Amino acid sequence: WWSLGLNLNIIMMTTSTELHHYEKGERQAKVFQAYEGFYVEFYVKGSMIERRSMFEHNEIYAESAAENFVDGVIQLNEG
């Protein structure tokens, strides 16, 4: 048994396309489409704090998550 680990992140990053960018104050969120599906990157003060896969959901769901983050509805550990 072995794990792809970091390799999966490299594949997602090199084969994905940024579709949407949301920004409010110090928060940003970017929606991407990869071969596997959609994912969102969440940023605070320019530093990525989480990359969340949403492969089982559609683009609208990923957009809503991004918008909710920049609006403060979704709170992540920004520490």
Side-chain angles (χ1 to χ4, degrees), residues 3-69:
S3 172
L4 291 177
L6 181 61
N7 292 338
L8 180 58
N9 286 333
I10 292 170
I11 292 168
M12 279 185 4
M13 291 168 40
T14 59
T15 62
S16 61
T17 302
E18 183 177 339
L19 300 177
H20 308 284
H21 181 98
Y22 296 84
E23 188 169 350
K24 185 179 281 187
E26 297 179 336
R27 292 173 163 236
Q28 298 178 345
K30 299 177 182 181
V31 177
F32 292 87
Q33 184 173 19
Y35 175 78
E36 302 85 354
F38 299 97
Y39 67 94
V40 181
E41 292 180 347
F42 301 103
Y43 295 82
V44 175
K45 297 179 184 175
S47 296
M48 185 172 65
I49 57 171
E50 184 177 327
R51 178 183 295 127
R52 188 178 295 184
S53 65
M54 304 194 175
F55 299 153
E56 67 278 3
H57 298 289
N58 62 21
E59 182 177 358
I60 294 170
Y61 185 95
E63 288 179 71
S64 294
E67 189 172 17
N68 285 339
F69 174 72

